[in-house]
Amino acid sequence: GENVEQHPSTLSVQEGDSAVIKCTYSDSASNYFPWYKQELGKRPQLIIDIRSNVGEKKDQRIAVTLNKTAKHFSLHITETQPEDSAVYFCAASNGFQKLVFGTGTRLLVSP
Amino acid sequence: DAGVIQSPRHEVTEMGQEVTLRCKPISGHDYLFWYRQTMMRGLELLIYFNNNVPIDDSGMPEDRFSAKMPNASFSTLKIQPSEPRDSAVYFCASSIGGGSSTEAFFGQGTRLTVV
C-alpha cells in the first residue's frame, strides 16, 4: 500500500521567511496530492492540492510542486506570518478516494 | 450545510467500557472515512465506506474496533472493550467520488480518553 513520508517534523522560522515542507510517496499510481493545515485543537482543512498532470500550483503565498519521477512533492509558504503557525499534513491518493497522510510538520512562525 | 458533524466532542471512559463515536457526513457525499490521530502516529486511516459499504478496513487496529454505516447520513465507530492505548482524537471525514480523488472534509473530532 501507499506510504507517505514527511520532513521535517518541526520547523521554526522568523516572520517573513519562507518555509518548505517535503513529502515522498511510494505508490507510483498516486495521482492526487493535497495539503492540509491543522490549527491547535481544530480539524484538518485543505489549503491546496495538486494532481499528477501538473508540476506546480500556486495560491497567493502558498505553492506546491510535484516531481512524479522522483515521487516527491513539496509545500512552499512565502512571507510567513504568525497565523501560519500550525501542523501541516501532506497526503497522497491513487484516485480511489483513499487518502494516506504523512506524519505532519509543526510549523512555528515567530514574530 | 453544517459540515461533517461528530458526537460526542469529548469522551472519558474507564478501561473495559464500550465506546461509540458518531458521525453525520455532508449531505450528498458518498465517501466516509474514520481516522485516528495521535502524536506518535499522526493521522491513521482506520476504515472507509463508499455508498454505505465498507471498502477498506485494513487500518482497523484489532477486533475490538468495529464500524457501521446503516445509511447515507450516519456512521458509528465502536470500541469494545476500550483500553488506555485507544486514547486519541478520532476524526470522521467525507468526500464526493466521481472518478478521481477529491477534498475530504473533516468533522471536529472526538477526543477519547480511556482511563
Side-chain angles (χ1 to χ4, degrees), chain B residues 6 10-12 21 24-25 32 51 56 84 88 92 108 113 115:
Chain B
Q6 292 186 245
H10 303 273
E11 177 80 34
V12 180
L21 311 182
K24 175 178 168 50
L32 183 139
N51 292 322
D56 186 344
C92 175
Q108 292 183 298
T113 302
V115 298

Side-chain angles (χ1 to χ4, degrees), chain B:
Chain B
D1 200 316
V4 177
I5 300 173
Q6 292 186 245
S7 64
R9 291 292 309 279
H10 303 273
E11 177 80 34
V12 180
T13 190
E14 291 186 347
M15 182 174 62
Q17 296 298 305
E18 176 181 304
V19 175
T20 299
L21 311 182
R22 297 172 175 81
C23 175
K24 175 178 168 50
I26 294 173
S27 177
H29 283 193
D30 53 349
Y31 281 83
L32 183 139
F33 308 84
W34 283 101
Y35 286 90
R36 177 172 68 177
Q37 184 174 33
T38 60
M39 288 293 292
M40 292 298 295
R41 301 172 70 91
L43 277 166
E44 299 176 273
L45 177 64
L46 301 178
I47 185 172
Y48 77 102
F49 297 82
N50 177 220
N51 292 322
N52 315 335
V53 176
I55 302 301
D56 186 344
D57 65 354
S58 60
M60 296 287 261
E62 45 196 283
D63 292 345
R64 297 185 297 107
F65 286 70
S66 62
K68 294 181 180 180
M69 192 165 185
N71 57 62
S73 58
F74 184 65
S75 177
T76 60
L77 178 68
K78 183 181 293 186
I79 308 173
Q80 180 185 24
S82 58
E83 297 182 3
R85 60 194 169 114
D86 301 331
S87 298
V89 179
Y90 291 81
F91 284 102
C92 175
S94 69
S95 68
I96 298 177
S100 60
S101 294
T102 58
E103 178 180 359
F105 292 83
F106 283 77
Q108 292 183 298
T110 295
R111 181 174 296 277
L112 173 65
T113 302
V114 183
V115 298

